[in-house]
Amino acid sequence: MQNHLVIIGTVWPEPTSTAAGSRMLQLIELFQKQSYKITFLSSASTSDYSYPLGNQNITTHQIKLNDSSFDALLLELNPTIVLFDRFMMEEQYGWRVAENCPNALRMLDTEDLHFLRKARETVFKQDRALVFEDYLSDTFKREIASIYRCDLSLIISEYEMELLTNLFKVDTSILHYIPFLVNPMSKKYLENIPTFLERSHFISIGNFLHEPNWQTVLQLKKLWKSIKKALPEVELHIYGSYVTEKAKQLHNEKEGFLVKGRVESVTKVFHKAKVLLAPIPYGAGLKGKLLESMLFGLPNITTTIGSEGMHGNQPWNGFLTTTDADFIEKAIDLYQNETLWKQSQENGIDLINNRFEKSLFETDFITKVNHVLANLNEHRNNNFLGQIFQHQTLQSTKFMSKWIEAKNSSL
C-alpha cells in the first residue's frame, strides 16, 4: 500500500514570496522521491502567487476551521504521516488527527522557532539585552507543548536545535535537524553569470508582511545615507512581495533609495546587483534571502542574527557585522573591492555544498521517519510528556472547537 503524506498548511505555498514556501516544496520533493502520495490541505485562500501544486501530482482540499467535515476527510485520506505547517496548525487540527487517525505519525515543521523570534522582537523594541525570562511567553508555552505532542518536529537551524536540547532539555528523539535542501553547485557557475564590473547597485529583498523584514528596511533607511555619501552614484533597490503603504513612503529617488515591490525574477535582479544588504536586527530560523544570494553568486553583508545557523565554522559569502559603523564600512568596501567580492562568491558556493546540499540530509531524515513509523507505540511511550500534553492541553482545545462548531451551526 502506498504511503500517504497529508500536509496541513497555514497558507498555500508561495515560493516566489517567502522562504517558507520554498522550504515546503523542498520537503514535498523529498517525500515524492520516496514515492509518497501527497495531499495538501489548508483553510487559507489561494492567491495569484500560490504554487500550482496540482502540476506536481499533489491533491489539494480547502478545509474549514472548527468543523467536523475535516474528520470525515481525514478518515477518507487515511494518512501515513500528517505534517503540520507551524505549531498553530497542530493546535487547531492535532487533536482531530489523533482521534481519527491514531496510527498516523504526527510531524511538525516549525519553520523557525516562533517563541525565539518573539523574544528577540520584544528586546529589540525595548532596546535591551535578552534574558532567559524573555523566552517564557505564551508563544513559548504553546510551541513547546506542540513539539511534545508531535512524534517528530523538524528544526531548520542548528542554533535552534541547540537551544531546544541544551537550554530546554527537549529529547533529541522527537526532534530532527533538517535545513534548506538545495542541489550541489560548481564554481564554474560563476563563469557564466555577470562579472563584478558588469554589475551595479545594492539590493535588499524580503516579504513586507514579515515584521523582521520591515524592521530590516527601516535599518537600511537609517544606514543608507552614510553609504550613499561614500558611493554617490550607487542606488539601493528594495524588493519584496506585499509591499505596504508605509514602505512605499520610504521611496526616495533623490536619495537613491528605491522601493520596488514584488520581483518578477529573483535570478535577474540578483545577477544585476553587486551586493545584497541585509542588516537584520532580529528573527529566527534561516534566512532564505541569504541562501539565495549564495545560490545566485551575489555576495552579501548581514548581521550575526542574519547568518545564525547558516555558516558553522566556514567563511561567509561577504561580511558579518555587529555595529552600524561596521556595516557601513563593510558595505562600501565589498562594493569596491573586486578581489574580496570574488572570494565572497566562492565562499558562498562552499557554504551551499558543505551545509545545505540535499544529499547530506535526505537519507538520515528518511531513516529517522521510517524508524519512528516502525516503532510508533514505543516512541510515544518514551515521550511520556507528549502524552500528558496530548491529554491535558488538547481537551480544552477540543471542546472549545466543538463549542465553536455547535455555535456556528445554530446561527
Side-chain angles (χ1 to χ4, degrees):
M1 185 175 172
Q2 185 180 20
N3 284 332
H4 189 180
L5 171 69
V6 170
I7 302 168
I8 305 177
T10 306
V11 295
W12 299 94
E14 289 187 23
T16 60
S17 304
T18 67
S22 298
R23 157 75 161 186
M24 180 55 72
L25 293 185
Q26 289 166 8
L27 293 176
I28 286 171
E29 181 190 357
L30 198 163
F31 278 101
Q32 284 187 322
K33 278 187 185 175
Q34 302 301 312
S35 300
Y36 271 73
K37 177 183 177 183
I38 298 180
T39 302
F40 196 99
L41 316 176
S42 183
S43 62
S45 300
T46 57
S47 78
D48 293 341
Y49 304 103
S50 298
Y51 187 81
L53 293 170
N55 293 353
Q56 301 295 114
N57 295 318
I58 297 165
T59 306
T60 61
H61 292 276
Q62 192 92 26
I63 54 175
K64 294 179 181 178
L65 294 169
N66 303 305
D67 196 293
S68 55
S69 60
F70 176 85
D71 302 352
L73 175 62
L74 200 65
L75 284 168
E76 181 187 330
L77 294 174
N78 190 26
T80 314
I81 300 173
V82 175
L83 174 63
F84 303 101
D85 170 32
R86 303 174 177 87
F87 77 89
M88 299 81 78
M89 292 300 96
E90 188 278 333
E91 284 183 330
Q92 178 67 227
Y93 297 102
W95 68 269
R96 293 184 182 274
V97 174
E99 278 200 351
N100 291 286
C101 298
N103 295 324
L105 187 156
R106 298 188 295 275
M107 188 183 298
L108 171 64
D109 186 26
T110 57
E111 295 289 355
D112 60 34
L113 289 179
H114 292 61
F115 77 81
L116 175 60
R117 174 154 39 95
K118 173 93 175 162
R120 286 172 169 170
E121 179 178 0
T122 298
V123 301
F124 170 75
K125 291 182 174 177
Q126 294 177 3
D127 193 24
R128 62 176 176 81
L130 189 146
V131 295
F132 178 78
E133 286 73 20
D134 292 315
Y135 291 126
L136 308 181
S137 63
D138 285 348
T139 302
F140 167 82
K141 294 162 191 171
R142 290 169 59 196
E143 190 164 26
I144 293 293
S146 181
I147 286 171
Y148 273 108
R149 284 192 298 266
C150 288
D151 300 309
L152 197 60
S153 291
L154 310 185
I155 311 301
I156 202 168
S157 161
E158 283 180 336
Y159 178 87
E160 294 180 2
M161 274 293 286
E162 290 169 8
L163 187 71
L164 289 171
T165 56
N166 295 342
L167 189 60
F168 296 110
K169 310 303 180 188
V170 179
D171 197 288
T172 55
S173 66
I174 61 169
L175 304 175
H176 193 81
Y177 168 61
I178 183 163
F180 291 128
L181 304 171
V182 298
N183 291 318
M185 290 189 72
S186 165
K187 290 185 180 175
K188 285 192 172 181
Y189 171 77
L190 302 178
E191 298 170 8
N192 301 313
I193 60 175
T195 65
F196 177 85
L197 295 174
E198 292 169 334
R199 297 167 179 252
S200 59
H201 306 309
F202 291 99
I203 193 174
S204 183
I205 193 167
N207 172 4
F208 283 93
L209 296 182
H210 188 53
E211 182 64 17
N213 287 340
W214 167 238
Q215 292 296 335
T216 298
V217 173
L218 294 180
Q219 293 292 109
L220 285 167
K221 190 70 173 177
K222 180 175 72 172
L223 300 168
W224 178 244
K225 201 168 282 185
S226 297
I227 298 171
K228 178 73 170 172
K229 186 176 180 182
L231 302 167
E233 303 302 314
V234 177
E235 299 169 350
L236 172 57
H237 299 179
I238 297 176
Y239 291 93
S241 51
Y242 303 106
V243 62
T244 58
E245 283 304 315
K246 60 184 179 181
K248 289 176 184 175
Q249 289 169 15
L250 298 180
H251 180 90
N252 188 316
E253 295 200 9
K254 188 177 175 183
E255 293 177 2
F257 193 92
L258 309 179
V259 179
K260 298 204 163 190
R262 183 180 286 274
V263 62
E264 293 272 331
S265 167
V266 170
T267 309
K268 282 183 182 175
V269 297
F270 274 34
H271 282 174
K272 284 182 181 176
K274 191 170 278 187
V275 175
L276 181 137
L277 299 180
I280 298 167
Y282 67 87
L286 301 181
K287 311 303 178 290
K289 62 177 72 63
L290 301 181
L291 182 85
E292 286 186 325
S293 79
M294 299 176 208
L295 287 167
F296 294 119
L298 177 63
N300 72 65
I301 298 171
T302 190
T303 58
T304 50
I305 286 283
S307 69
E308 182 179 270
M310 295 193 78
H311 63 108
N313 297 319
Q314 293 195 226
W316 190 247
N317 68 317
F319 287 108
L320 305 178
T321 63
T322 55
T323 66
D324 289 353
D326 194 26
F327 190 95
I328 292 163
E329 179 189 330
K330 294 296 193 294
I332 295 164
D333 193 13
L334 187 57
Y335 194 89
Q336 295 178 309
N337 189 324
E338 184 173 0
T339 303
L340 262 179
W341 188 88
K342 285 181 175 178
Q343 184 58 55
S344 297
Q345 274 191 323
E346 294 190 7
N347 290 348
I349 289 180
D350 289 338
L351 264 170
I352 290 290
N353 291 336
N354 294 325
R355 303 274 302 168
F356 300 104
E357 205 265 286
K358 60 176 68 171
S359 68
L360 298 173
F361 305 99
E362 289 179 333
T363 302
D364 282 350
F365 174 64
I366 293 300
T367 300
K368 178 81 169 261
V369 169
N370 289 341
H371 177 76
V372 175
L373 277 171
N375 302 277
L376 196 54
N377 287 336
E378 182 185 354
H379 180 81
R380 286 176 178 170
N381 288 337
N382 290 337
N383 178 25
F384 59 88
L385 276 176
Q387 297 207 35
I388 293 169
F389 282 118
Q390 187 77 29
H391 177 74
Q392 295 294 111
T393 313
L394 287 194
Q395 290 304 309
S396 58
T397 308
K398 171 182 174 178
F399 289 113
M400 174 61 78
S401 181
K402 285 186 173 293
W403 179 82
I404 292 170
E405 183 177 6
K407 183 170 177 287
N408 289 343
S409 65
S410 67
L411 294 177

